[in-house]
Amino acid sequence: MSVLSPSRDGRRRPTAAPSARTAPSGRARRPGPRVGRPGAWWALPALVFFGAFAVLPMGLVVYLSFTEWGGLGTPRFIGAQNWTRLAGDPAMHRAVVLTLVLSVSSWAVQTPIALLLGVWAAGRQRNRAVLSALFFVPLLLSSAAVAIIWRALLDPNFGPLAQIGPLIGMPGLDVLSDGTAAFGVIVFVTAWQFIPLHMLLYQGGARQIPASLYQAAQIDGAGRLRAFWHITLPQLRNTITTSSVLMVVGSLTYFDTVLIMTGGGPGTDTTIVPYLMYRVGFESYQYGYASAIAFTLVVVATAASLVMVRLTGFGAMRSTREGM
Amino acid sequence: MTPPQRTGTAAALALLLMTATACGGSGSQAESGDGELNVMMYQDTLAVVQHNAAERYNEGADVRAVIDEVPGDGYDDKLRTVMGSGEAPDVFFNWGGGSIEPYVEQDMLLSLDDALAQNPEMEEAFIPSVLDAGKIDGVQYGIPLRGTQPVMLFYNEQVFEDAGVEPPETWEDLLSLIDTFNDEGVTPFALAGNTTWTQQMWLQYLVDRRGGHEVFQRIQGGDFEGWRDPAVLWAAQTVQDLVDRGAFGDNFASVSYTEGGASALLAEGRAAMHLMGSWEYSTQLAEAPEFAEEHLGYTTFPEVPDGQGDPAAVVGNPTNYFSVTSEADSEAAVDFLKQTYTQEYVADMVENGEVPVTTGAEELLDNSPNPDFARYQYDLVQEAPTFQLSWDQALPRTAAEPVLTEIDRLFNGQTTPEEFVDTLAALQ
């Protein structure tokens, strides 16, 4: 039927011309295989996994939040008592405020540093690869290891800080025993740990920006600062949203750092919601109430990411290359 | 950084596991009847005594006793998990009181009243007040397995000598010592504020000395209005007064006990005194042997002004207990419990520096690594009219956690003594 011509590797292959002519009628009779649209059942493994490890547990958490259960025997249904208690619990109120402050300050600290480092790392400077690799190290350590290291370094009695303090004229320099300072330490340590990840995101984003934009700007006489402000930042719009959602939602789960570094203290000055949930659930065995806290956290985290995606127009995914 | 859905998943998964295991909780007991007696033990250097006991027991019995050592950090919640999951051990280590009450409520523990009735020597073997502390609502659920652990005031003799002062006998002494040591640049009291139960010891003694043993007995009995006793308010005010006077230095909030911080401060002479359980001696012996042998002094908590309580009363952990689960092979378990008052067992304990709670252990105390300390402790407990179990062990965990948190806030000046009392009284 079709005209065959020898291809370069010696095999025979239909030439383009005749098939192009027969194609329209062929497509009308029998639809060809659709490209990139596998059957719905391909999603099954992921759905089963998601169902078993996300949806089902979440459903159980909702159920448990209406019960009283200490881990022994059967949960006892107590209606909305856990929820009314949640609304009026001063410990929860304190934890919510601390968590919000932590999220906002983590975002405010991490974003500019990660953005600048990432953009810098996207360049072609000398030593860039070596320094980038060094900056990346904290991310390779587990949160627990990071927290243990920093706790040892900052120990006011036995850490290096105890020796350094008097040398710089600040004997008794102590950042873990004061509530505000300890909170600052949590922000700092988590930033130290997570900035590399976001730096990586921004580096990838900045590498995607076409060089022609900068060349054009240069011709128009724009300096580096203006180029950064008018090209780099707008081009990184989607990266900023991704990174911010990860930061804010991630900051709602800074649990291990708090557990190891401060134990929620001094007093309750670093008891954020996830840590409170742990205390209530696994130390005072009120799994029902802990479930109410857990579910609140899920709702807040989901809401926060949805709101951020909406507000930034990220959901529409408009290209940053329009008109190019 | 985790994607949003994982926030909930981590928490939810943990709870799912609990649920799943709870449903299977009523199922058959895997361990019983398999010829093994599983003994769940708190892991530390002293557990060697129980290992030896198991060896002796295994020589003569058909059932093999197996000691499962569980790391001390989080022992309580690990125990809760296995108990709720139908994988319960046959015999397990606990603190009596609130630490086993939930299991009693769920009928998971074997009453040892029958065992005591059948083996009168078992009842006679222990100091009565200590054996009594193993009862819940008048029923015996725990048999003492360890030495006694009263809380006492340890001090660094060298630091006292350098300052030319004596350990406190009255409250005025204690207050003036705070000023003396602050002038010397030494922290008067080492306090591991990062480990909350160490702060609790101060309140326990203050309440007991001021208002007597009954104040907390009422609270322990479930009447939380008992927190409104004037002795509690006074104790809370006294705590803040001590903090303001600099009794604990200014960085106690970041000192940890489990990491050895407070003990090191005392041993290095950077702190003069340390209110701690008697195990502090073993800790010092392991970490700073020279200091423990040469300069570690000990005394009782001083009297307080207008104190209604007996100044000879002590607080702390009367001892630890073995309890038997209801699914266990009760005959084998009770046989194993008989080990806890054999000559060999008690001699083992003494050699490891423990002070046994068995009657007639006095003669053995000469074999202790520090006979003076052992005898001092034995007499302290023997002569004490009352021995208050640590609050966080005496209260059910649902109440113990918030109490510890409020004590933490009190020490850190985040709550006033009046609010402290109100919050505790409002607990359920």
Side-chain angles (χ1 to χ4, degrees):
Chain A
M1 273 242 294
S2 55
V3 183
L4 296 172
S5 64
S7 63
R8 216 174 282 165
D9 58 8
R11 289 211 194 121
R12 290 174 170 229
R13 201 188 260 175
T15 53
S19 57
R21 233 182 284 133
T22 55
S25 57
R27 210 181 289 146
R29 273 202 309 271
R30 186 170 56 94
R34 262 181 283 159
V35 184
R37 288 270 172 199
W41 57 270
W42 280 57
L44 197 64
L47 282 177
V48 167
F49 196 81
F50 183 72
F53 293 103
V55 179
L56 180 67
M58 209 121 59
L60 286 170
V61 163
V62 174
Y63 161 68
L64 276 183
S65 73
F66 290 98
T67 66
E68 185 181 31
W69 188 47
L72 304 167
T74 337
R76 195 168 60 87
F77 191 77
I78 54 165
Q81 273 181 42
N82 286 325
W83 290 98
T84 47
R85 182 180 157 197
L86 188 78
D89 186 356
M92 183 66 184
H93 296 168
R94 286 194 296 266
V96 166
V97 171
L98 285 174
T99 309
L100 289 179
V101 176
L102 181 68
S103 291
V104 172
S105 42
S106 292
W107 180 84
V109 169
Q110 293 180 23
T111 300
I113 302 178
L115 180 65
L116 290 175
L117 279 176
V119 170
W120 173 81
R124 305 259 177 263
Q125 308 88 332
R126 281 184 65 180
N127 302 332
R128 181 200 52 79
V130 176
L131 287 173
S132 298
L134 282 180
F135 291 155
F136 195 65
V137 166
L139 194 64
L140 303 178
L141 304 172
S142 75
S143 318
V146 168
I148 289 171
I149 292 168
W150 278 102
R151 170 153 170 74
L153 287 175
L154 297 176
D155 192 306
N157 286 305
F158 307 102
L161 199 63
Q163 265 88 52
I164 296 168
L167 295 181
I168 55 170
M170 295 178 75
L173 181 61
D174 178 11
V175 288
L176 286 175
S177 308
D178 174 73
T180 319
F183 191 81
V185 167
I186 300 289
V187 173
F188 168 77
V189 171
T190 46
W192 184 81
Q193 185 186 358
F194 290 118
I195 281 174
L197 172 74
H198 297 279
M199 176 184 125
L200 207 63
L201 291 177
Y202 285 119
Q203 183 188 15
R207 285 253 167 101
Q208 299 281 322
I209 304 173
S212 55
L213 287 178
Y214 291 101
Q215 288 155 1
Q218 214 172 6
I219 292 167
D220 288 345
R224 290 177 77 167
L225 198 63
R226 289 192 67 183
F228 175 78
W229 203 251
H230 293 287
I231 299 173
T232 314
L233 270 190
Q235 287 286 314
L236 286 177
R237 197 175 61 218
N238 289 340
T239 314
I240 292 173
T241 309
T242 308
S243 159
S244 299
V245 170
L246 284 176
M247 267 179 204
V248 169
V249 173
S251 71
L252 297 174
T253 64
Y254 289 164
F255 162 73
D256 23 19
T257 316
V258 171
L259 175 74
I260 294 166
M261 291 205 62
T262 65
T268 48
D269 275 346
T270 55
T271 301
I272 52 172
V273 176
Y275 186 73
L276 180 71
M277 174 184 81
Y278 163 79
R279 289 284 294 247
V280 171
F282 295 94
E283 290 195 355
S284 65
Y285 306 121
Q286 297 173 310
Y287 292 119
Y289 186 46
S291 297
I293 299 176
F295 192 68
T296 309
L297 204 55
V298 173
V299 171
V300 169
T302 314
S305 48
L306 282 180
V307 165
M308 286 169 73
V309 166
R310 272 288 152 80
L311 284 184
T312 54
F314 182 74
M317 266 292 182
R318 276 191 303 122
S319 167
T320 49
R321 305 277 155 71
E322 267 169 67
M324 282 188 70
Chain B
M1 296 281 171
T2 35
Q5 65 269 33
R6 259 204 250 158
T7 316
T9 316
L13 182 58
L15 291 163
L16 164 75
L17 291 176
M18 299 282 165
T19 324
T21 50
C23 300
S26 53
S28 67
Q29 233 287 340
E31 267 91 23
S32 70
D34 58 359
E36 277 194 2
L37 187 74
N38 287 70
V39 182
M40 183 164 162
M41 195 57 212
Y42 185 92
Q43 184 178 54
D44 59 15
T45 50
L46 299 173
V48 64
V49 176
Q50 285 72 39
H51 275 286
N52 292 344
E55 260 172 48
R56 281 193 299 274
Y57 172 81
N58 290 342
E59 278 169 22
D62 308 332
V63 179
R64 250 182 74 79
V66 180
I67 306 277
D68 301 317
E69 280 192 50
V70 173
D73 206 13
Y75 176 87
D76 215 59
D77 42 290
K78 284 165 196 151
L79 175 67
R80 176 73 68 122
T81 309
V82 290
M83 292 293 274
S85 68
E87 297 290 322
D90 300 298
V91 177
F92 67 95
F93 169 105
N94 60 70
W95 289 262
S99 75
I100 53 170
E101 218 177 285
Y103 307 123
V104 173
E105 279 165 17
Q106 297 284 335
D107 296 323
M108 297 175 103
L109 299 190
L110 181 75
S111 156
L112 297 171
D113 283 350
D114 288 349
L116 286 179
Q118 285 159 19
N119 304 285
E121 85 283 356
M122 197 181 237
E123 183 147 16
E124 287 155 19
F126 300 100
I127 296 175
S129 67
V130 177
L131 188 66
D132 273 358
K135 285 181 179 170
I136 302 282
D137 295 334
V139 181
Q140 194 80 38
Y141 285 104
I143 294 295
L145 82 106
R146 274 213 167 155
T148 185
Q149 297 164 336
V151 172
M152 46 219 268
L153 192 57
F154 289 89
Y155 62 95
N156 186 323
E157 289 174 345
Q158 188 70 51
V159 172
F160 271 75
E161 208 174 289
D162 291 348
V165 287
E166 295 290 321
E169 280 174 15
T170 64
W171 195 249
E172 290 74 44
D173 289 352
L174 186 139
L175 293 182
S176 82
L177 283 174
I178 293 173
D179 294 338
T180 311
F181 287 120
N182 272 330
D183 291 344
E184 298 263 322
V186 175
T187 305
F189 291 95
L191 176 65
N194 193 241
T195 313
T196 321
W197 49 259
T198 62
Q199 297 168 337
Q200 170 185 259
M201 290 174 170
W202 279 91
L203 271 169
Q204 285 175 183
Y205 258 129
L206 288 171
V207 169
D208 203 275
R209 288 280 190 272
R210 176 77 172 200
H213 186 59
E214 301 71 32
V215 177
F216 190 74
Q217 282 304 301
R218 182 176 161 205
I219 298 163
Q220 193 176 339
D223 180 6
F224 281 11
E225 277 299 302
W227 289 114
R228 295 196 189 278
D229 192 289
V232 178
L233 181 64
W234 177 83
Q237 285 163 341
T238 306
V239 161
Q240 290 205 327
D241 178 46
L242 289 173
V243 171
D244 292 344
R245 283 168 187 266
F248 310 111
D250 45 22
N251 59 26
F252 65 87
S254 55
V255 178
S256 156
Y257 186 74
T258 42
E259 285 166 26
S263 304
L265 288 176
L266 183 71
E268 290 172 11
R270 290 158 73 183
M273 297 172 267
H274 188 196
L275 185 68
M276 189 39 64
S278 60
W279 59 84
E280 171 74 358
Y281 180 80
S282 324
T283 311
Q284 293 288 5
L285 202 59
E287 301 298 326
E290 203 179 312
F291 166 71
E293 279 159 23
E294 306 273 326
H295 303 299
L296 179 59
Y298 38 84
T299 184
T300 48
F301 193 85
E303 289 182 48
V304 302
D306 305 324
Q308 308 288 309
D310 193 320
V314 290
V315 307
N317 297 331
T319 185
N320 297 114
Y321 298 89
F322 267 144
S323 293
V324 180
T325 52
S326 48
E327 310 258 334
D329 176 349
S330 59
E331 211 171 302
V334 171
D335 269 350
F336 178 75
L337 292 184
K338 288 178 186 166
Q339 285 287 334
T340 58
Y341 50 90
T342 59
Q343 278 287 322
E344 295 94 330
Y345 190 93
V346 178
D348 245 8
M349 277 170 51
V350 172
E351 264 171 53
N352 277 284
E354 289 190 79
V355 174
V357 291
T358 50
T359 44
E362 280 127 312
E363 309 92 75
L364 288 167
L365 295 179
D366 288 334
N367 300 330
S368 167
N370 186 341
D372 289 342
F373 179 63
R375 245 178 265 121
Y376 180 84
Q377 232 188 115
Y378 192 79
D379 292 344
L380 184 71
V381 173
Q382 193 88 322
E383 283 159 22
T386 55
F387 197 145
Q388 174 55 53
L389 173 62
S390 302
W391 290 357
D392 57 340
Q393 299 297 347
L395 294 172
R397 279 301 279 265
T398 43
E401 256 330 285
V403 169
L404 284 177
T405 304
E406 285 309 308
I407 291 175
D408 205 6
R409 287 167 55 77
L410 180 71
F411 271 81
N412 284 286
Q414 294 171 358
T415 179
T416 66
E418 291 75 19
E419 286 167 353
F420 174 77
V421 166
D422 286 343
T423 313
L424 294 190
L427 287 175
Q428 285 141 14

